Amino acid sequence: MPPQEKIPPREENRLSQEQDICHSHTGSIQGYSKTDEDTTSWVNGVPTSLDRIPDSTDRDPMETRTEASAGEVSAWAAVKMKMARQSSINDIALKQKTNTQAGEKPPSNPVQDDKTIMDFDDMLPHIGEFGLYQKILFALLAPFAFFVAFVYFTQIFITVIPEEYWCDVPDLRNLTTEQRISLAIPPNEGKTGYDKCRMYAVNFTEMWDKGITKGNPSWPTTDCRHGWEFNYTDIPYSTIASELDWVCDKAAYPTIAQAVFFCGAILGGLIFGWVADRYGRIPALVWTNLIGFIAGIATSFVTTFWAFCVCRFLVGLAFDNCFTMMYILVLEYVGPKWRTFVANMSIAIYFTMASCMLPWMAYYIANWKMLCIATSVPLLLAAITPWIVPESARWLVSQGKLNKAVCILKKFEKINGMKVEPHIYTKFSDSCEKLQKEEEAVRVYSVLDLFKSPRLRSTTLLLIAIWMAISLCFDGHVRNVGSLGLDLFVTFTVASATELPADTVLTMVLDKWGRRWLACGSMVMGGVFSLLATAVPTGGPSAVLAIMGRFSVNISYNIGLQYAAEVLPTVVRAQGVALIHIMGYVASILAPFVVYLANISPALPLLVLGTIGITGGILALFLPETLDKELPQTLQDGENFGKGQRFLDFPCCSKTLDKEDSAEMSSNFQRSNVQMGRASFRASVRGEMYRSSMLQRSVRSRRSMKQSDEMQAANVV
C-alpha cells in the first residue's frame, strides 16, 4: 500500500480555495460520490478506502497529460483534494481552539466571509425597514403628490370650453341673450340647438327696426366676424380658451397644447433621468419642481397660442419627475415587505386627495390666471428639500461615496431607535467596494439587448403595447369627463376618487391573485364598461359606467407600473422600464385627440377607449406570471422566464408543486451567493430609475437567496 502523499502548504491553500468548485461541479468528477464520503470513495465504479489512493507514479505520464488537456479531473485527485480540505479544516479548528484558550476571538471562515455579500437591502433590517424615519418620509411624499396632480390636471381647467357659445353680434348687445340668438344665429343643421360657428349675414339693426325678432333660415350665413359669446353657467369663469376664442376652426388648439405638454414630459424624463443618475435624486427633484414653478407662473401671462404651448412644454418637463424622484427615493429606504404598501397607498391617499381638491380650487378661484399661480407656487417648496430629505444612499454607493451613505444610514439608525454593530457597517462598505470593482469589468448592457432573443423580444414588445394601451385609456378617461353630460367638477371629483378604492383593492389582492389575470381582467372590464357607456343615454347612466371604467383602468395602471420591473432582467431593467414609460408618454400624446372625437360624436371617445382596453387586456395574458417567482437577473434568465408556466394557470388556485417540479422550474434561476450579490448590487445602483426600484428584490427572492446560502454552507461543512 503506497504511503499517503504529504500535500505541500501552497497546494493545500490552492485546494482549499477550490473546494467550492468541486462541490458545485460534482458531475464533472468521475466516480466521486457524496455518500459515505468520510470513509470511502469511488474509483471507476469500485469503492475504495481513503488509505488506498493510487500514487501518481503508478499512472502513465502521457495518459495523465492527455486527461489533463481534456479537462478531466481524476478520482484520486478529487479524493486528495477532499483530504486536503479535511486537513485544512482540522488545522483551522486546532488554531481556533488554541486562540480560544489564549483568550482570543476565533477568526471567521475566510472563504465564507469572502462569499458573503451585504447589499443595501441586507442593511435595511438593521436600521429599520419601516421605522419612524421612513414614516416621516412617507408623510413627506404628500406635497410632491399634490405637485404632480396640479401639473397634470391644471391644464384641463384652464382650457375648458363652456358647453354653450355663439357668435358675438355687437349690433344686438342691447338685447337679451335669447333675443340675440333667435335673430342672429341659425339653427344647427340636423341637430338640436343652434350653430356655434356661423351667423346670419344681414343688417340686424334694420331687421330689428322692421320688427323681425327671429332669423329666417333662407338668409345667407357667414363665419363669426366679431368673436364669440359664452354661457358661463356650467363653467363659472373665463379660461384662456374662451378669452382667445379657441373654438370652431381653432377648437383643436387645447388638444394640440396638451400634446405639446406630453412632448415636454418625454424630454423631461430623459433629461432628469440623466440628472438623477449624474448628480443625485435631490438635485433632480429640486430642479424639476423649480422649472414647473417658473413655467406655471409664466403661463398666467401668455396672450398667444404659441406662447402658451412653450410654457406648457416647460411645465411638461416637470411632469412625473416632480413626484417620481421623491417616490423612488422613499421606496429605496423602505424594506421589501413594505414597498407594495408605500408604493400604492401613497398614490391612493395623497394623489387622490389632490385630484379631488383641484376642481374645487378652480371653481372657487374662478380665474384661470390665478389658478395657474395657485397651483404653481407650492412647487417652490421643493427648494427646501435638501435640508429635509436625505440623498439616496443607493446612489451615493453607486458613486463611490460610501462614507456619506453610511452617515445617512446611521441617521436612520438613530431616529428609528435601532442599534447596529460597527462591524455591520464595515462589512457593508467592504461589500460595496468589492462589488463596485467587479462591476467595472462587467459588460455594459443596452436596451437593444432586449430585442436580441426571441422570447425576451416578444415580452418587451408586449409590455410596450400593453403600457401604451393603459396610458392611452387612463389619460383618455381623465380628459373625457367633460363629455359625459354632467357637471364637470362633480364628475371629475367622483372619477378621481376611484383611485383610492382601486389602489386599496390592488394592495390587498395583487400578491394573492397575481399580475397576469388581474391585469387582463381590469383592462377588459374597463373596456366593457366604456363600450356599455355608449349604449345608454347620455347623462347619469353613461357617466356611471364611464366612472366604473375609470376605476378598472386605475387598477390596470398600477399593475402596469410594476409589471415591467418584475419581468425584465436586472441588467437592463432600468433602461427597459424607461423605454416603456417613454412609449407610454407617446401614447398619451394621442389621448387628447381621442377625446377630441367627441366633437364629431360624444360616443366615439368611449368606443375607441373601450376597444383599446379590451385589446390590451387580451395581450396581457401572453405575459409570464411573476407572483412568487424569483426575478430574472441575466438576459438568459429573461429569455427563460415563464417557460414552465401554462396559459390557464391561476396563482390563487394553484396547488403546491412537487419538489421535483419545483426544482425543475427554478433551475434556470439558481445562482451562487456571489452571483446573487453582484446582481443585487447592479439592481441597487442601476435599477432605480422611474418606478422600477420598488421591486428590485421581492421578499420571496430574498428567501430563495437565504435558502441558497444555507444549502451552500451545508455543502462546505
Side-chain angles (χ1 to χ4, degrees), residues 68 85 142 271 320 378 387 469 495 671:
R85 181 170 66 252
I271 293 176
D320 203 28
W387 290 274
R671 307 176 186 86

Side-chain angles (χ1 to χ4, degrees), residues 200-434:
Y200 290 121
V202 296
N203 189 328
F204 295 105
T205 303
E206 181 181 348
M207 294 297 177
W208 184 259
D209 291 340
K210 291 180 180 180
I212 300 175
T213 60
K214 186 176 182 180
N216 190 332
S218 63
W219 292 351
T221 60
T222 183
D223 294 336
C224 297
R225 298 172 177 175
H226 309 286
W228 283 260
E229 290 186 75
F230 296 89
N231 183 355
Y232 291 108
T233 302
D234 54 336
I235 307 296
Y237 59 90
S238 64
T239 65
I240 186 173
S242 61
E243 288 186 4
L244 300 183
D245 293 334
W246 293 350
V247 292
C248 296
D249 57 338
K250 298 181 180 178
Y253 280 14
T255 301
I256 296 173
Q258 190 62 59
V260 170
F261 171 87
F262 283 113
C263 290
I266 295 174
L267 182 61
L270 298 174
I271 293 176
F272 289 107
W274 175 81
V275 171
D277 284 343
R278 180 65 178 86
Y279 299 102
R281 281 27 170 179
I282 297 299
L285 183 67
V286 172
W287 279 107
T288 187
N289 279 279
L290 289 181
I291 290 177
F293 160 72
I294 295 172
I297 297 295
T299 301
S300 62
F301 296 97
V302 300
T303 56
T304 65
F305 169 71
W306 293 112
F308 181 79
C309 286
V310 171
C311 289
R312 300 319 294 174
F313 180 85
L314 295 176
V315 173
L317 293 176
F319 172 59
D320 203 28
N321 300 288
C322 62
F323 168 72
T324 301
M325 297 301 172
M326 182 67 181
Y327 181 80
I328 296 296
L329 194 147
V330 174
L331 289 175
E332 288 178 344
Y333 286 115
V334 175
K337 67 179 181 180
W338 289 98
R339 287 177 186 164
T340 298
F341 171 81
V342 172
N344 288 284
M345 296 312 295
S346 60
I347 296 176
I349 297 173
Y350 303 141
F351 186 78
T352 302
M353 289 175 58
S355 301
C356 293
M357 188 174 69
L358 180 60
W360 303 106
M361 289 176 58
Y363 184 86
Y364 288 107
I365 292 175
N367 184 301
W368 74 270
K369 295 183 178 181
M370 292 303 301
L371 180 62
C372 286
I373 295 174
T375 55
S376 300
V377 168
L379 275 68
L380 188 59
L381 295 174
I384 64 175
T385 303
W387 290 274
I388 300 177
V389 180
E391 180 57 90
S392 167
R394 294 180 191 261
W395 178 80
L396 291 172
V397 168
S398 70
Q399 301 298 308
K401 302 176 181 180
L402 296 177
N403 292 335
K404 291 184 178 180
V406 170
C407 288
I408 292 175
L409 295 179
K410 289 182 177 179
K411 186 177 180 180
F412 273 85
E413 172 195 351
K414 181 180 179 180
I415 296 178
N416 289 342
M418 305 293 287
K419 180 63 178 177
V420 182
E421 298 296 331
H423 70 88
I424 298 294
Y425 288 113
T426 302
K427 186 177 182 180
F428 172 70
S429 299
D430 293 343
S431 298
C432 292
E433 289 179 352
K434 177 182 177 181

Side-chain angles (χ1 to χ4, degrees), residues 455 458-459 461-463 465-467 469-470 513-525 556 559 563 567 612-626 641-643 645-651:
R455 279 179 54 84
S458 63
T459 298
L461 293 175
L462 279 173
L463 288 170
I466 293 169
W467 182 245
I470 292 175
W513 294 1
R515 281 66 164 152
R516 191 166 63 105
W517 283 101
L518 196 57
C520 171
S522 59
M523 290 192 69
V524 170
M525 285 179 59
S556 61
I559 296 173
Y563 214 150
V567 174
I612 293 175
I614 294 175
T615 303
I618 295 174
L619 290 177
L621 290 178
F622 295 92
L623 289 174
E625 178 57 64
T626 60
F641 192 75
K643 275 188 175 180
Q645 299 179 15
R646 290 171 295 190
F647 185 79
L648 295 178
D649 280 345
F650 292 87

Side-chain angles (χ1 to χ4, degrees), residues 429-473:
S429 299
D430 293 343
S431 298
C432 292
E433 289 179 352
K434 177 182 177 181
L435 291 171
Q436 200 168 19
K437 292 178 181 178
E438 294 175 350
E439 190 74 12
E440 296 175 356
V442 176
R443 172 191 167 188
V444 177
Y445 296 89
S446 73
V447 71
L448 297 178
D449 290 310
L450 289 170
F451 300 93
K452 292 182 179 179
S453 54
R455 279 179 54 84
L456 192 55
R457 177 171 58 250
S458 63
T459 298
T460 304
L461 293 175
L462 279 173
L463 288 170
I464 291 174
I466 293 169
W467 182 245
M468 291 181 72
I470 292 175
S471 299
L472 180 57
C473 290

